[in-house]
Amino acid sequence: MSFDTDKANEKNRGLIDGIVSELCAAAVDSMARLRRKPARHVAPSRVAVLKIMENIRMILFPGYHGPPDLTEETLPYYLGAKLDQTRNLLEDQITRGLCFLCPSDECARLREECIEKASKIVGIFLGFLPEIRRILMTDVQAAYEGDPAAKSPDEAIFCYPGIQAVTNHRIAHELYRLDVPLIPRIISESAHSVTGIDIHPGAVIGERFFMDHGTGIVVGETSVIGSNVRLYQGVTLGALSFPLDASGKPIKGIPRHPVVEDDVIIYSGATILGRITIGKGSVIGGNVWLTQDVPPGSKLTQRKARED
Amino acid sequence: MSFDTDKANEKNRGLIDGIVSELCAAAVDSMARLRRKPARHVAPSRVAVLKIMENIRMILFPGYHGPPDLTEETLPYYLGAKLDQTRNLLEDQITRGLCFLCPSDECARLREECIEKASKIVGIFLGFLPEIRRILMTDVQAAYEGDPAAKSPDEAIFCYPGIQAVTNHRIAHELYRLDVPLIPRIISESAHSVTGIDIHPGAVIGERFFMDHGTGIVVGETSVIGSNVRLYQGVTLGALSFPLDASGKPIKGIPRHPVVEDDVIIYSGATILGRITIGKGSVIGGNVWLTQDVPPGSKLTQRKARED
Amino acid sequence: MSFDTDKANEKNRGLIDGIVSELCAAAVDSMARLRRKPARHVAPSRVAVLKIMENIRMILFPGYHGPPDLTEETLPYYLGAKLDQTRNLLEDQITRGLCFLCPSDECARLREECIEKASKIVGIFLGFLPEIRRILMTDVQAAYEGDPAAKSPDEAIFCYPGIQAVTNHRIAHELYRLDVPLIPRIISESAHSVTGIDIHPGAVIGERFFMDHGTGIVVGETSVIGSNVRLYQGVTLGALSFPLDASGKPIKGIPRHPVVEDDVIIYSGATILGRITIGKGSVIGGNVWLTQDVPPGSKLTQRKARED
Amino acid sequence: MSFDTDKANEKNRGLIDGIVSELCAAAVDSMARLRRKPARHVAPSRVAVLKIMENIRMILFPGYHGPPDLTEETLPYYLGAKLDQTRNLLEDQITRGLCFLCPSDECARLREECIEKASKIVGIFLGFLPEIRRILMTDVQAAYEGDPAAKSPDEAIFCYPGIQAVTNHRIAHELYRLDVPLIPRIISESAHSVTGIDIHPGAVIGERFFMDHGTGIVVGETSVIGSNVRLYQGVTLGALSFPLDASGKPIKGIPRHPVVEDDVIIYSGATILGRITIGKGSVIGGNVWLTQDVPPGSKLTQRKARED
Amino acid sequence: MSFDTDKANEKNRGLIDGIVSELCAAAVDSMARLRRKPARHVAPSRVAVLKIMENIRMILFPGYHGPPDLTEETLPYYLGAKLDQTRNLLEDQITRGLCFLCPSDECARLREECIEKASKIVGIFLGFLPEIRRILMTDVQAAYEGDPAAKSPDEAIFCYPGIQAVTNHRIAHELYRLDVPLIPRIISESAHSVTGIDIHPGAVIGERFFMDHGTGIVVGETSVIGSNVRLYQGVTLGALSFPLDASGKPIKGIPRHPVVEDDVIIYSGATILGRITIGKGSVIGGNVWLTQDVPPGSKLTQRKARED
Amino acid sequence: MSFDTDKANEKNRGLIDGIVSELCAAAVDSMARLRRKPARHVAPSRVAVLKIMENIRMILFPGYHGPPDLTEETLPYYLGAKLDQTRNLLEDQITRGLCFLCPSDECARLREECIEKASKIVGIFLGFLPEIRRILMTDVQAAYEGDPAAKSPDEAIFCYPGIQAVTNHRIAHELYRLDVPLIPRIISESAHSVTGIDIHPGAVIGERFFMDHGTGIVVGETSVIGSNVRLYQGVTLGALSFPLDASGKPIKGIPRHPVVEDDVIIYSGATILGRITIGKGSVIGGNVWLTQDVPPGSKLTQRKARED
């Protein structure tokens, strides 16, 4: 920034004034189109949500994440302090989420209701943490047992992207079920950006869920996955098509993703679309394109490659 | 670092001296092979480019990114200040990019020219921002309409990786068209690393472009994409092969990636290679491998999976 | 956090006490199941490992990463200081890794042995750096020659995710060969999360290795890759199935991933599973699913897509 | 933190439980004595106040503090954005200050009033900034003229502790006059800790005020200082004694510090105590102890030192 | 750093090599003179000591320093977690301090002893915290009662430099009494640099100690101060002279600073030197130079200033 | 910042527009008065100067400041790297200083000269470092010998404010002698703000200089101090008065501060003013006010305090 840009700046004089005018006009305009006044409320903060997830990871896996050297005597203090911090941060973020999407013009009056609602939600959510922990431990065990390269369950907790993604999902899913707006999506996207695994917070997933490698896995909003299911990288559980409403827009909330029953394995790159059911114990080969029900115990593979 | 490593260090005495000698010799050597003296100029900074993109995101989507609580009165000030910061940062980075790749030995003389060129480029580029914003708003609308899980356009702006990637692309593409070296690639790689979507800055992409989930999407340098196109995760628009020059190296810059016409949908994992044309309104199924033209309105799917 | 949450807090009184009790009980319990007392030792630090990799990148590619403006006079000083920093950081992390997984109860006695072992390992490892650098330069050259969009080898070093991933792999692989626990995996996962390329530290990879785009590439633990091999995004070199031991758990360490001979190209999305051999000079088309040996010089492509 | 402290910890088991119990009991106790429940409200943040002062310094002295390279075109944008940031930060801090000291139990009801009051105060305060700037420029000029070592007024703005302290004072004084609690004191203490100059926010100080070196200067709450006054390091304008109320506590708010008329110079280490008046144009020598009125034009010095 | 300094660097070629040689020779040399090999052990870290003091301030004054919004339910968790962090940090720093000054060559053997000693010291020290808190509350009360400008005890805890300095002193003093090397001095210097108050950790100070303004106060190592004493800025309690040993160096550890009895007030700038006693209830005027005992109840002031 | 400030903002509408206008007018105006256009050049950066001093402290006192665990083998690498960093940072800051104060309008032409001049100055300055180190070691030895509370010279290097201040001074003084503008003053002010010791960079100071406690010491620009001099806190070496030029401004650069010969001790709070000479070996008592020459070997003390 230390160049002598005098001459150049001379030429650009007025440039910024002009762009600012255009952009202000556009922002007012298009924001109105989106039915929002510019920034009436403080939007949720991605950074705060990341901090919340970091706290929760420490709470769920003490000794692996967060402060080291915990003992039986000191563990409760760290857990309690992190839980309280998490409560405060989460109440604030959920309040922001509720207000951000609130269509009402009577915001001052409704704000108190949002705060109270957020506080109630957080109280319920925190109460789920011990159960979430129990289930995640079954995921860890499944990862250890399912991956011949795994040296110990510790390694899975410590650095398996699949464990990171399913942790975020199980948290996001509970918030989704509590009708929290935006925050669950930010949580699932934060795992997506780090692991390449994209699980919609709405998906229902059973115990002992293992995703190996994981990059490119997509699990849609209305998917239902049983226990002891294993997905490899690049697997899609998606929608085949979706009914449109009168105005040509997709109707929201209709079940449109697969049901995967217990003990199913789906190999890398398989694409499974629509509200179909993959029967218990089936094995789906890599790169398969599947849009129809599969009975329990099936084994599907792609047609053989052709030699040129 | 507080271990008593005295004994160990004793054994390693001389280790560092030896490695330094080897590496210095190698660096001088191989850097010469790359026709560059060690570090004649300051290379562009990834961190600065990320800052530039953060600024631009604030400028394009005020209220969603950057400072909250903007009002009609304060918006112009924030926009103006961010624009000026962005101008300064970008001029510096582009100058670095121009100098870094400059083959000349007469750098002192040419430096002034690089600075002036950078300043001119930035002036032109900033003038594009209002139009880039307008087009991005069509992408946001397409995302909202194309994803049944989307609750509002806000959500798309706020946390859809596809929107993040296409924002980076539209910025990088304008800089690419202005012959800026390195910086466009750093911008597209920064989106790639976060979203798993890899769009070469050279690709030409129309309005209302929607990438759902996105991980693993690859769009090559000479691809041409029409309006209202939707790509799912894992779609490749790549080159099939490329002509080599006399010395066996690929010839740069020849059109070698697909043309995708308006209103096309390509499902997850499809691989489309070579300078072929996917006709208007076609639907390409998942995991398809495609190397030939497809007429308008076609519907292609993979052959059925084989039951073992 | 500045809302008046008095009333809400009133309702939640006792909430945290209850959750802390449950989580403490669970942590003691399940950690015992994992055969570890809660946090006896300090676990390795992901942040420190990232710092180590950043240092090594500067050591291997001075002028591209790390401090700019190096000259022949100053280069040795920067290299020496970074090498020493790296030695200290790496000794500490490897000691942590050894202790973290140490099953023994006699830790106080064994600790000194761990420290000494870590110091020896680091001494050997640092001595490999010049050779690692030499090989990486062949990878850079292959990237430049193999990608028509590459403007210069500089660009590849600077921002190609494939180069970042193979750098991490070559480092992680040497540590893996030296029986370092956890750290190699953290190194490979750090590349995985940024590039979407997941190479197990155990994989053996020859010179001139080029991964274009890269997202979704998976290379398994016992893979063997020859020289001058090129992989595109989404390629899997995986295991088809693996023998279980008497208790139904996979037996660790058996060769179960492909052997890819010299001069092979594998296009995007191909899935290659099991201990099969892809013969020298073969070309494997995109999205192919392959579980059998392929003779040298083969060209395989997916069956043609079906028009609906 | 990587020592093997197992044995030591064994001995300390229970230590923390014990101390926590004692401290909790004490905190509840003594905080009750201070008539406050533990942390009912969020206290003001020193870090935020420092940020506010940094902003204001940029607003008052653009080009010297804050972003460089401002031009006539870009200056308004930076000023506007900083002013808005400052407004938001200051409203929040003043609200916290008002709530922190609020004796009432009906806080939920009064909170809205505090917020509204804070907003009104900030509106008035920001309107004072242009006048504050004008007066500070007279201080800068006085520093330049009064210090033979000063090379330019720039140097004074840039790094004279006296200018830093008087800037903080003039800001703190206006907030003090607007009955803002705590924040003015945090502002004056932040200057005190950096410069060693301790001016109570209540002191009234005229134009062209110059403090050379400054360390150890103390100016009490009810001091009144005219125009064109110069103080050297270690000068005290303090209270001699103060009347106690029936319970033996000092009565607050009574004028008890000196009045210093225009054009007075007071040399280093002079101690001037009580509600006395130093007449216009007087010169007070170093280390003098003064508790009585001094007529205009006086010259006082300490008695001669005694040779042993 | 982006200037073209090629020519200049050319002239300076060899400069750094030369200076490095000289400095290395000097470091080896003079460090030997100081009877230490260069950096055998890791020195204590000022940053870590600051962190320790920040933690202790939170532990002693919850709600004023550290996390806000504490309640009776959450307070114990925060206290316990901070205490454990503080224990770990302090054990590490004290071990460093003990090792740094350890004259022995048998360090490996002695190290374990240092660690154990540090752990014992920390255990004892933490047990003092509740009593330290009780005494500090008397200091806070004295500040509130002694300063007519104080609006509430809260304000004193929150931002009075005197309270900050006496907090650091009471901590440093207990560590000094436990024979901790270096750390107490770093603690007292950290208060000195922020407040200008320099109290040697060895000084013994009674309850209800109040320092108003404080800048320039010096309290020497062997000073003894009773209860309810008030010092103003610039007061020195120093040594008049000190006996030298045979080699002309001052003999360490002899009582050489004043004894100040209960209820004494000393005004600004007074210099009190030598092992003299200021009798109970005395008042010492500003700028007085005092080297002899003063009986209880005395009132001393400086001779009157002389008019020129 | 999350309060509902809608109503308040309503009232303040237009506030920021108004203040911005006033401040812009004022800035243009008064900056013109100071004979500078608003921010033509980038001003020096205090943060960068602090970084430079941190580097130099590491270079001068390796093992005490900066990276720990240095050995004979690694020391040169750290020194070389830090020296090169320091060279780059210092060249940049000095160039900024030269340009910032440059009165010329032909800046583009003169800029190259400034850069070259800065580079030359830095080359000369760095060459002084070994000698500066030698002298500082005599200061350290004097501190150890002069302070009965000092446990070792290590402690003095590690945390004595007097050593920190004299280190900054000896660096600033060499830059002052090389006619560097602004930077020396920023260096001395940075020590002033931390230690309360204010030494003008112009002062000439001999070896074995010891300042005990230090707060409030002021040493003026033209002071000359011999070898083995000791100053206590609050000592002023100042100007008594200074001749004014025709326009009533002080004439710059005339010798106006004391000469203090070898082996002098000056106790706390003494004020010594004017171009007088304190003869070799003299002892000046605390709080003395001195404006006349003192012959060698004198002992001066303040008159006895008066009992009321």
Side-chain angles (χ1 to χ4, degrees), chain D residues 226-247:
Chain D
S227 281
N228 203 33
V229 168
R230 195 190 307 166
L231 304 185
Y232 285 88
Q233 67 273 17
V235 165
T236 294
L237 304 182
L240 185 55
S241 70
F242 30 81
L244 306 180
D245 65 14
S247 66

Side-chain angles (χ1 to χ4, degrees), chain C residues 73-74 77-78 81, chain E residues 9 12 14-24, chain F residues 51-52 54-60 75-91 122-130 171:
Chain C
E73 185 189 4
T74 60
Y77 294 116
Y78 283 98
Chain E
N9 280 338
N12 288 334
L15 172 72
I16 287 184
D17 288 340
I19 301 172
V20 167
S21 300
E22 280 191 71
L23 285 170
C24 285
Chain F
K51 178 72 191 154
I52 288 166
E54 193 188 309
N55 281 356
I56 290 180
R57 240 178 275 281
M58 181 269 148
I59 290 165
L60 296 174
L75 181 60
Y77 294 116
Y78 283 97
L79 287 177
K82 282 282 173 202
L83 275 165
D84 188 54
Q85 271 177 28
T86 305
R87 172 169 63 181
N88 290 337
L89 286 168
L90 198 49
E91 276 180 16
V122 171
I124 296 168
F125 167 74
L126 292 182
F128 292 157
L129 285 177
I171 298 301

